[in-house]
Amino acid sequence: MAQSLPTILVVDDEPHSVAAMRMALEDDFHVLEANDAAQAWRMMEEHWVQVVISDQRMPGKTGIELLTEVRDRWPDTVRIIVTGYTESGDMIQAINEAGIYQFITKPWHPDQLLMAVKNAARLFDLARDHERMSLEMRYLGTAASARTEERRRVLQAGLGFDKVLRGANSSLNATIAQARHFASFDVPVLITGEPGTGKTDLARAIHYGSLRADRAFYEINCAGLGDEALAAELFGAKRGALPGLAQSRTGLLQKADRGTIFLNGIDSLSPTMQMAVLRVVTEGAFQPFGAHEVMTTNTRIIAGAHRDLRGRVADGRFRTDLYYALQVTELTMPPLRNRGTDIALLAETYLSEAAKEHAKVARGIAPDAIAFLESYDWPGNLPELRNEITRMLILAQDVTLGADVISRHILQARDPQGESNGYVPDFSQLEGTLKERVEIMEMRILGETLTRLKWNKSRAAAELGLSRVGLRAKLDRYGIEPAASIAEED
């Protein structure tokens, strides 16, 4: 796995001195440059610097003053001062005020400078390792209880598998069982399914069911983002790498280190981004946009695909190696049309959430309305159902939502005779003779109109341009009757 070089900052107002230090150090370090204390401070704020090498005599603040402020803000950064003045008073002042690690006197030898900086970088690493081990030892005794408490908090917040709503006999249950099994294994997961089927909720549940539950979870939808925007968001970007980017941006792979990232819409990645993501999945390595250094991350990747990746691999639009790197296990989210037994539970849950959000009283959904919702195909999946329930709540005059407030296209999708729950998305797709097709269309329009008007035959006849006798004859002909819970109105 590629390792990034330690970052050091050289501060000197003389360009030739900076160039000489860079030549001595650039093979072993990522070297940043500043020509005064103000510029050095900005560089410290934008980069993770392990060692600062500063000249003592500079316009404005001296090296001692700069390193004193660095010590207060970034105490772990190792500080070295270069000076041509060796009076003992300066040395004592620097040691006491700035915590100087080492003096280097002018003229210095390249090997002397390189050895001093290497030792300083090693000291930085040792200090961080010591701090980490001290913290681990300190909290070792309470780690188990802390993890248990965190799991309890997550469960209470509803971020685990209980967040993925489904009924006892749901077609989603097999997917959830497999996801629970793989959650605790630190491997990539590929989640496939149509847009809106709940892939993000499942990815979040896998994260909170894993050993990374106390770390960050991030999601990003790759669809619709250009390569530059996606790379900057995912990998980060150096200042000036993109128009209007005044400061360096930290990418999600850095933010989610030791956590989880859900890359949704991975089937839309360009060949260039597929290669970059492959490197992350296989090596944990990436390059911020506009930068040369290679960074590493310990992030679990969960990927989501809206389309069949096997087909895209077969026709050359998706890398074979990336597909198999992600597909340690593949979970499929069924579309809502295949989850008929879940509709009632989902609808009631969405109603409760919408009623709370919009401060409107609602006590439930009438059985006849549920029957219509269960008969519809829901091409927009969960978001479409949620939006329909919100719309019904806003239109409803009663605390129990009836079928009269359901959208027309949903009402017309159900056979009013109740003989079939098959969804007919387009009347042009009907089969049979012209007479048979017209009769099916007429039957559906009659059922939708009467349901929407709460079976008020007078209003329905007037809207359809029929007499009450003519309407009654058509209802008898097609065997259309109101549900048991609906009382007929004149």
Side-chain angles (χ1 to χ4, degrees), residues 330-351:
E330 183 172 344
L331 305 173
T332 300
M333 295 294 290
L336 193 53
R337 61 181 172 273
N338 294 340
R339 297 176 56 188
T341 59
D342 295 343
I343 297 295
L345 173 63
L346 290 166
E348 293 287 356
T349 301
Y350 292 160
L351 175 61

Side-chain angles (χ1 to χ4, degrees), residues 400-471:
T400 300
L401 277 58
D404 57 301
V405 291
I406 295 178
S407 296
R408 285 190 174 189
H409 67 282
I410 297 177
L411 293 176
Q412 291 180 359
R414 183 173 183 267
D415 185 346
Q417 294 176 326
E419 295 176 356
S420 172
N421 285 344
Y423 170 62
V424 181
D426 188 341
F427 286 138
S428 65
Q429 298 181 13
L430 293 175
E431 297 180 355
T433 65
L434 175 61
K435 179 181 179 182
E436 290 171 341
R437 296 185 193 186
V438 170
E439 288 178 346
I440 293 175
M441 292 171 62
E442 184 177 60
M443 180 175 62
R444 291 181 182 276
I445 293 172
L446 287 169
E448 176 270 319
T449 303
L450 284 163
T451 300
R452 177 166 45 82
L453 298 179
K454 297 184 177 180
W455 281 81
N456 185 312
K457 294 191 181 68
S458 298
R459 292 178 60 192
E463 180 176 311
L464 296 172
L466 300 171
S467 66
R468 282 182 54 83
V469 174
L471 176 62

Side-chain angles (χ1 to χ4, degrees), residues 303-330:
H306 303 319
R307 291 167 290 189
D308 176 31
L309 282 187
R310 290 182 182 272
R312 298 181 74 80
V313 168
D315 61 23
R317 288 183 290 174
F318 198 84
R319 293 182 64 98
T320 303
D321 47 5
L322 177 56
Y323 173 69
Y324 286 110
L326 293 171
Q327 194 236 9
V328 176
T329 183
E330 183 172 344

Side-chain angles (χ1 to χ4, degrees), residues 32 47 161 213 289 342 433 451:
L32 305 175
H47 300 273
F161 287 101
F289 187 74
D342 295 343
T433 65
T451 300

Side-chain angles (χ1 to χ4, degrees), residues 260-402:
T260 305
I261 288 182
F262 177 50
L263 301 178
N264 203 4
I266 200 168
D267 49 302
S268 64
L269 290 181
S270 69
T272 299
M273 288 304 298
Q274 289 180 36
M275 184 64 194
V277 171
L278 175 64
R279 190 180 186 190
V280 174
V281 176
T282 58
E283 301 178 17
F286 64 96
Q287 284 181 277
F289 187 74
H292 298 291
E293 69 268 26
V294 176
M295 305 187 70
T296 59
T297 184
N298 177 15
T299 302
R300 183 181 191 181
I301 302 297
I302 301 178
H306 303 319
R307 291 167 290 189
D308 176 31
L309 282 187
R310 290 182 182 272
R312 298 181 74 80
V313 168
D315 61 23
R317 288 183 290 174
F318 198 84
R319 293 182 64 98
T320 303
D321 47 5
L322 177 56
Y323 173 69
Y324 286 110
L326 293 171
Q327 194 236 9
V328 176
T329 183
E330 183 172 344
L331 305 173
T332 300
M333 295 294 290
L336 193 53
R337 61 181 172 273
N338 294 340
R339 297 176 56 188
T341 59
D342 295 343
I343 297 295
L345 173 63
L346 290 166
E348 293 287 356
T349 301
Y350 292 160
L351 175 61
S352 176
E353 294 173 353
K356 185 180 299 183
E357 178 182 355
H358 298 287
K360 186 173 181 180
V361 177
R363 294 179 183 171
I365 304 175
D368 61 306
I370 291 292
F372 277 100
L373 297 178
E374 290 177 339
S375 301
Y376 182 57
D377 204 37
W378 301 108
N381 291 300
L382 298 175
E384 185 184 6
L385 175 59
R386 185 189 294 273
N387 291 341
E388 178 65 22
I389 296 301
T390 301
R391 176 187 174 279
M392 291 170 61
L393 171 69
I394 293 172
L395 292 177
Q397 300 297 317
D398 301 322
V399 294
T400 300
L401 277 58

